[in-house]
Amino acid sequence: MLSKLKQIHLEEWLLGAMLGIVCVLFPLKLGAALMIYKKPMLAVGTLILSLILWRKKRLFFPSDAFSWLFAAFVGWHFLSALWADHVAEVWKSSFYWLSLFVLYLNIRSLDLKHFSKWFWQRLLLTILLVNVLFPGYFFYQELFESEGHFQLTLRYSAELRAYFSYHKNDIISILLISIPLIALLHEQPRNKWVLAILIPYSLFLILIGSRLALLIFAVLAIYYAVLYRQEWHTKRLLIGLPMLLITLILLTLGLADDPERFWYIYNPLRSADAGGSDARLVIWESSQRLLAENPLGGIGSGNWHTAYMKFGGSQLDAVKDVPNAHSLPLETGAELGLLGLGLVLLLLCLPLVRLLRKAPGSLFGRHLSAVLISFLLIASVYGVAYNPNKALAPAQWLWLAAVALFYAKEMQSVHRFRFAIPLVLLGMLACSWSFFLLSKELQYQRYSIQLANNKPQAAFKSLKEMHHPGIFDFYEKKHLSHLKALRIWELNKKALSLKLLEEVAASCPYDYRNWFQLGEKYRQTGKFPLAVRAFEQSLQIYNDYVPAALGLAKSSLETQDEQAFDKAIAVYQVSIVPVIERLYREEIWESTHQEELDMWNILCRQQAQFELLQAVFNSSGSK
């Protein structure tokens, strides 16, 4: 075994380490601190890989359709800075795609003939075991924690997701794309290991609680069944997989403390009348309308989250931000116009078409086409768009690595030209940007700690160090000028704070929270007519935003603006009264879940405030 390890090339070790960084689902307690270092680690790994291949004189630019399309796609991202409203967001998104482009060219330059099949089999198996053992440990901790009794409560799947440092969509993306990759562990598809791998993965998908993930999983199972329809075990596979999923669902319901509510959560038909699917359709429609308004160049790379509320968002959750369009093609179309949409569709579909023509019958081709199909499905309906500040997009990384491996293996005769020095320089540029973002992440953590310790002066200083107009204006979806204005207000510099809030509202006119905060500060300084206009602007974007309606009621009470007050009361009657009546029937105040109790208490306080304001307004009007 030691002799085999010595034969492994350095670039194999490096690529394997990068695959582990992407694929391993670290528990939250172990992985939360590591999450912000993942991107820089991958950027450094890619740069080292470039230097190794440069030393071996193997860095090339392959002159094929996919490579040129990818280069044009990355260039179009950077070029959109010329017309984007928020250029800082363009840099974050563009540099991310540049890092993926450098990774792709490095993998294309690898000599796969010398790669050890023995090494990659064991590496993938190790990743599989880690991703199964960590949930197993969680099951033991959570399900047997109460005097050894097996418990399965409604909070279970949320806690399972929270146990990991990834978002739910990222977990599902890793699992679904890993299935065909891990199936490559064995040359014979009939090997029992394939089913042994599918069992814990399907159980994980069920307990995470995603109906869409189960649908994609079923599509992959059918795809494999069609590919292996000539094999003797296909009938067993077709019967066994559905029976396995049904058995696991029934077992979950049998162990649940409230089977009826569990079925309500996991029922695939619930999405027909649930708000989540409506919200996704609203987001997609907003993306299409942004594309229709800006068909040539879009609104600029990375600018989607600054403009998606332009057409209103009454069906969206006011508490939760929407980080992306839950569709990579639609988001790309909104940001980069028809040219960007065409390029991303070609990048998604061209490798699959080429693969089905080039190697449809080989074992490698079958599993790799399953990877491409699963990513195409995930990218179309899931939020795999990259979060430019701290998160990692494992699905995009795995998809691009798979595409590069296919082209490197099956298209070695394509014309190539030397690209060593430019590629190393691009790798250094992407690496430097990753460390720049890491420094901003650490500064934001320091800022949050100082706020928690009630040190506004120190927090304001950290915020100023982090904010670079035109280069780093946002942290996730929060405009840093907006945060600076709130900190300046705490330092009793109210005029300067109002000026900053007005500038932010003008630069981000589709963010209802900016107008709400501006209205609150106007109201607190006695500028009630301006406050009324700011609150009305917030409600124009988000018709059911209760905090803005409450602020509007308070401000219009001071100005005796009956029309504005009626708008606020209408929001109360539509958004609070029916919800309180429903929760009252369900006796939610007897719930043991703290989140439900908090929601009930907030709604009751808001109801009391509205009723008091209505009584005061009516009494003042009668006088």
Side-chain angles (χ1 to χ4, degrees):
M1 180 176 179
L2 187 61
S3 60
K4 289 183 177 180
L5 290 175
K6 290 181 178 179
Q7 295 175 2
I8 307 300
H9 293 271
L10 183 57
E11 53 266 36
E12 281 190 79
W13 283 109
L14 192 57
L15 194 60
M18 295 166 69
L19 182 65
I21 292 172
V22 172
C23 289
V24 172
L25 297 173
F26 289 104
L28 186 60
K29 294 179 181 179
L30 296 177
L34 299 176
M35 278 295 293
I36 61 173
Y37 295 99
K38 282 179 174 277
K39 277 194 324 206
M41 290 167 65
L42 289 174
V44 170
T46 304
L47 179 59
I48 294 174
L49 184 59
S50 298
L51 294 173
I52 293 173
L53 294 174
W54 185 21
R55 184 171 177 271
K56 294 185 176 182
K57 298 181 179 181
R58 287 197 53 83
L59 275 181
F60 301 98
F61 185 95
S63 184
D64 55 59
F66 186 88
S67 300
W68 286 111
L69 286 172
F70 201 179
F73 184 65
V74 174
W76 192 241
H77 272 276
F78 279 99
L79 197 61
S80 67
L82 296 175
W83 57 83
D85 289 333
H86 302 283
V87 180
E89 298 304 281
V90 175
W91 304 140
K92 283 186 277 191
S93 177
S94 302
F95 273 106
Y96 165 67
W97 282 105
L98 175 64
S99 65
L100 287 181
F101 181 61
V102 174
L103 172 71
Y104 163 79
L105 292 180
N106 274 277
I107 297 179
R108 283 294 306 267
S109 301
L110 292 172
D111 185 4
L112 300 182
K113 294 179 181 178
H114 302 294
F115 270 41
S116 170
K117 179 182 175 183
W118 175 88
F119 170 75
W120 287 98
Q121 284 180 341
R122 279 146 186 81
L123 176 65
L124 289 171
L125 183 59
T126 302
I127 293 174
L128 165 69
L129 291 176
V130 170
N131 284 349
V132 171
L133 288 176
F134 275 141
Y137 176 74
F138 173 83
F139 298 157
Y140 175 78
Q141 289 288 99
E142 294 294 324
L143 300 183
F144 296 93
E145 62 180 0
S146 178
E147 300 178 0
H149 296 296
F150 193 86
Q151 295 183 350
L152 191 58
T153 61
L154 286 172
R155 60 180 173 83
Y156 184 76
S157 71
E159 291 181 350
L160 178 61
R161 294 193 295 269
Y163 181 71
F164 295 97
S165 55
Y166 286 95
H167 185 268
K168 180 180 79 170
N169 288 349
D170 292 327
I171 297 174
I172 294 167
S173 300
I174 290 176
L175 295 177
L176 290 174
I177 294 184
S178 297
I179 289 172
L181 281 177
I182 292 172
L184 281 170
L185 284 169
H186 304 277
E187 292 184 359
Q188 298 300 322
R190 64 170 62 93
N191 198 296
K192 296 179 181 178
W193 271 100
V194 175
L195 281 180
I197 290 168
L198 294 179
I199 290 173
Y201 269 54
S202 57
L203 177 62
F204 201 177
L205 290 174
I206 289 174
L207 292 175
I208 284 175
S210 173
R211 297 177 298 275
L212 196 56
L214 290 176
L215 175 62
I216 298 175
F217 182 84
V219 170
L220 288 180
I222 294 172
Y223 174 76
Y224 272 113
V226 172
L227 284 178
Y228 298 128
R229 60 186 180 275
Q230 303 298 331
E231 303 288 342
W232 64 270
H233 71 294
T234 301
K235 292 182 180 179
R236 295 186 182 182
L237 191 65
L238 283 173
I239 298 174
L241 281 177
M243 291 301 296
L244 171 65
L245 291 175
I246 293 172
T247 302
L248 290 173
I249 292 174
L250 292 177
L251 179 63
T252 304
L253 293 174
L255 294 173
D257 61 343
D258 190 344
E260 184 177 351
R261 292 188 69 183
F262 246 91
W263 174 245
Y264 175 76
I265 291 174
Y266 290 109
N267 181 8
L269 300 178
R270 185 171 70 92
S271 59
D273 59 354
S277 58
D278 293 338
R280 187 164 297 193
L281 291 176
V282 170
I283 295 169
W284 290 347
E285 182 184 0
S286 178
S287 302
Q288 293 171 8
R289 294 176 71 177
L290 286 173
L291 173 60
E293 281 194 350
N294 308 273
L296 296 179
I299 59 176
S301 177
N303 277 248
W304 183 89
H305 72 86
T306 69
Y308 75 96
M309 291 291 289
K310 180 178 181 179
F311 307 104
S314 299
Q315 296 88 342
L316 304 178
D317 185 357
V319 179
K320 184 176 68 174
D321 291 309
V322 182
N324 47 61
H326 290 279
S327 174
L328 186 60
L330 286 178
E331 181 171 334
T332 304
E335 292 183 346
L336 299 178
L338 292 174
L339 178 58
L341 176 61
L343 287 173
V344 78
L345 290 176
L346 286 172
L347 291 175
L348 289 172
C349 299
L350 185 62
L352 183 59
V353 173
R354 184 65 60 89
L355 178 62
L356 295 177
R357 288 181 178 178
K358 190 79 175 179
S362 67
L363 181 67
F364 175 80
R366 289 175 176 180
H367 292 306
L368 195 56
S369 57
V371 173
L372 301 182
I373 290 173
S374 61
F375 181 76
L376 184 61
L377 292 170
I378 293 169
S380 300
V381 294
Y382 264 152
V384 297
Y386 181 66
N387 183 337
N389 284 301
K390 59 180 180 179
L392 184 70
Q396 289 184 358
W397 198 97
L398 288 170
W399 162 73
L400 194 60
V403 170
L405 285 172
F406 162 67
Y407 277 96
K409 183 177 186 297
E410 302 292 341
M411 301 185 65
Q412 298 180 4
S413 60
V414 69
H415 177 69
R416 300 180 295 179
F417 55 87
R418 297 295 297 273
F419 199 65
I421 295 179
L423 188 56
V424 171
L425 292 176
L426 290 176
M428 293 174 65
L429 187 61
C431 189
S432 301
W433 181 261
S434 295
F435 277 95
F436 171 76
L437 292 183
L438 174 63
S439 69
K440 299 306 165 188
E441 170 70 22
L442 295 175
Q443 285 176 340
Y444 190 84
Q445 288 185 359
R446 185 170 69 248
Y447 158 78
S448 302
I449 293 172
Q450 289 165 343
L451 272 186
N453 293 333
N454 197 22
K455 298 178 179 179
Q457 293 276 7
F460 180 61
K461 182 179 178 181
S462 298
L463 197 56
K464 287 199 299 184
E465 292 175 356
M466 180 170 55
H467 187 203
H468 297 280
I471 301 175
F472 195 82
D473 285 339
F474 285 83
Y475 179 83
E476 294 185 348
K477 295 156 289 297
K478 301 172 183 176
H479 201 297
L480 295 182
S481 290
H482 179 87
L483 296 180
K484 284 171 65 176
L486 298 181
R487 301 289 80 79
I488 291 173
W489 182 275
E490 293 176 357
L491 299 175
N492 209 26
K493 299 178 181 179
K494 296 183 178 180
L496 180 58
S497 177
L498 279 173
K499 182 180 178 181
L500 271 177
L501 286 173
E502 289 168 349
E503 291 175 357
V504 173
S507 64
C508 300
Y510 310 121
D511 193 330
Y512 60 94
R513 294 160 300 185
N514 291 338
W515 291 106
F516 166 71
Q517 288 289 353
L518 181 59
E520 279 291 296
K521 300 313 177 189
Y522 278 144
R523 186 180 65 82
Q524 293 174 24
T525 52
K527 300 178 180 180
F528 298 111
L530 292 176
V532 168
R533 286 200 290 270
F535 286 129
E536 286 181 333
Q537 185 66 29
S538 179
L539 286 172
Q540 184 177 349
I541 300 169
Y542 202 110
N543 301 334
D544 303 332
Y545 190 43
V546 174
L550 190 57
L552 179 60
K554 293 176 181 178
S555 301
S556 57
L557 180 62
E558 297 292 338
T559 60
Q560 288 296 302
D561 187 339
E562 185 175 354
Q563 186 177 3
F565 190 84
D566 289 342
K567 288 181 183 178
I569 295 301
V571 174
Y572 158 69
Q573 292 173 343
V574 171
S575 302
I576 294 183
V577 174
V579 177
I580 287 183
E581 291 177 353
R582 177 176 61 82
L583 297 179
Y584 187 83
R585 290 194 301 269
E586 296 178 2
E587 299 181 347
I588 196 173
W589 61 84
E590 296 182 355
S591 172
T592 58
H593 301 290
Q594 189 60 43
E595 291 183 1
E596 293 180 347
L597 291 175
D598 291 342
M599 179 181 66
W600 171 256
N601 292 329
I602 290 172
L603 288 172
C604 289
R605 285 197 298 269
Q606 290 175 338
Q607 182 186 36
Q609 286 179 295
F610 272 108
E611 290 179 349
L612 178 61
L613 289 169
Q614 194 169 16
V616 173
F617 190 87
N618 291 336
S619 62
S620 62
S622 63
K623 291 179 182 179

